[in-house]
Amino acid sequence: MALYHGTNSKISAIDLNKGRARTDFGKGFYLAGKLETANRWAANRVDLSGGTATVLRYEINNDLFRTHGKRFSDIPELDWLEFICQNRHRKAKDAENMEPRHDYNWVSGPIADDQVYDVVKGYMSGEISAEVAVQKARALPQTFQLSLHTTWALSFVDDAGVYFKQYTSNGWSRDWIKREG
């Protein structure tokens, strides 16, 4: 299965330590099911940190999904919302807790993107109920993400056959380029 990672540089190897904390499914390596989603991730990363918008295409061995993981429904449900809140919410007293806050090799499900973020924030602050939050999240366009959290999960990624595209002043490169190294 081909999945996409959007970033601000061409990476030579996946490093789980470089993942951001307090993300939807916890600190990990995130892949999108749609190229357009990874394009947005890359553009956002450049806006935050500079660099060159880059999308890498990885082949994932489907046997990954036979290992210890968590698959959420394709549409937002209450368990998905609670899981995201658990991973995003952090108080000063639990700042030393390890990331991710679960023991799964991988997690997959809908993306809590910029639009869903406001729904999650409203739910976490108590401004809206769980039922309203799930209804609002369901009304938004759905996209799929897979996050990898362990070196075991990374063993199901074809790291030798990685291709990438970069964004230039002329737009996204037309052809996928095989990554060397």
Side-chain angles (χ1 to χ4, degrees), residues 36-47:
E36 298 79 25
T37 302
N39 289 347
R40 280 196 316 276
W41 288 352
N44 289 343
R45 179 54 68 203
V46 168
D47 288 346

Side-chain angles (χ1 to χ4, degrees), residues 87-154:
N87 285 296
R88 286 186 172 199
H89 189 60
R90 186 180 205 149
K91 295 179 181 172
K93 69 178 182 173
D94 65 7
E96 70 278 357
N97 284 353
M98 297 294 293
E99 290 272 348
R101 296 177 179 188
H102 56 76
D103 67 346
Y104 297 118
N105 291 319
W106 58 272
V107 179
S108 70
I111 297 173
D113 63 10
D114 294 342
Q115 295 172 354
V116 178
Y117 176 77
D118 291 335
V119 174
V120 171
K121 184 178 173 185
Y123 173 67
M124 287 175 61
S125 69
E127 294 174 20
I128 59 175
S129 69
E131 294 78 21
V132 170
V134 169
Q135 285 176 346
K136 285 186 174 192
R138 285 182 180 168
L140 297 170
Q142 299 307 312
T143 54
F144 164 84
Q145 68 184 343
L146 171 69
S147 59
L148 307 174
H149 301 280
T150 64
T151 53
W152 177 250
L154 295 182

